[in-house]
Amino acid sequence: MERESSRVEATLPTSDRFLYIRADRKMVKVMVDEILYIESMKDYIRIFLTNGQIITKQTITAIEAMLPHDDFMRVHRSFIVAHKKISAYSQNSVFIGKIELPLGPLYKQTIKKRLP
């Protein structure tokens, strides 16, 4: 059964959606529209925000299930990006501003379908 506090309601406007993430022995409120991208580090993930980052013990698959599908996309087995934050992409990379992230071969078709 899914916990209510970890689910993002799809009916809420983007600016009102949030997640509670366990970090530093407390539950931290993270606004969905502040997430730039998420990086997997084995059993931990690092969430890069517009104003910092959070590290938490969780798998990338678990956080992917919590995020709204329309706003986020997996671009590599170790990276999830906010769809609207992508500034450019190439054959092997996705860019969020000046940050270059790898584009995995399994995810190239997803990028081509979702981005013009």
Side-chain angles (χ1 to χ4, degrees), residues 4-96:
E4 288 297 317
S5 63
S6 66
R7 192 172 35 155
V8 176
E9 295 296 330
T11 57
L12 292 174
T14 304
S15 61
D16 295 338
R17 295 185 292 173
F18 59 88
L19 302 169
Y20 277 103
I21 304 292
R22 181 173 298 284
D24 299 326
R25 288 174 262 181
K26 60 187 172 199
M27 298 301 284
V28 179
K29 186 177 186 177
V30 176
M31 301 306 290
V32 170
D33 61 338
E34 292 180 4
I35 299 172
L36 298 173
Y37 66 97
I38 299 168
E39 178 184 12
S40 173
M41 304 179 308
K42 294 198 178 197
D43 292 335
Y44 289 83
I45 56 170
R46 186 179 340 206
I47 303 171
F48 290 86
L49 305 166
T50 55
N51 60 354
Q53 61 180 313
I54 296 173
I55 297 175
T56 184
K57 186 171 183 175
Q58 192 169 22
T59 64
I60 196 163
T61 304
I63 193 77
E64 184 178 26
M66 293 166 51
L67 295 168
H69 176 72
D70 292 343
D71 296 335
F72 292 88
M73 59 194 308
R74 191 95 172 248
V75 296
H76 187 273
R77 70 181 205 180
S78 298
F79 291 97
I80 297 172
V81 298
H83 180 264
K84 293 178 183 175
K85 309 285 193 218
I86 296 173
S87 57
Y89 67 96
S90 67
Q91 185 74 14
N92 299 313
S93 301
V94 173
F95 296 86
I96 298 178

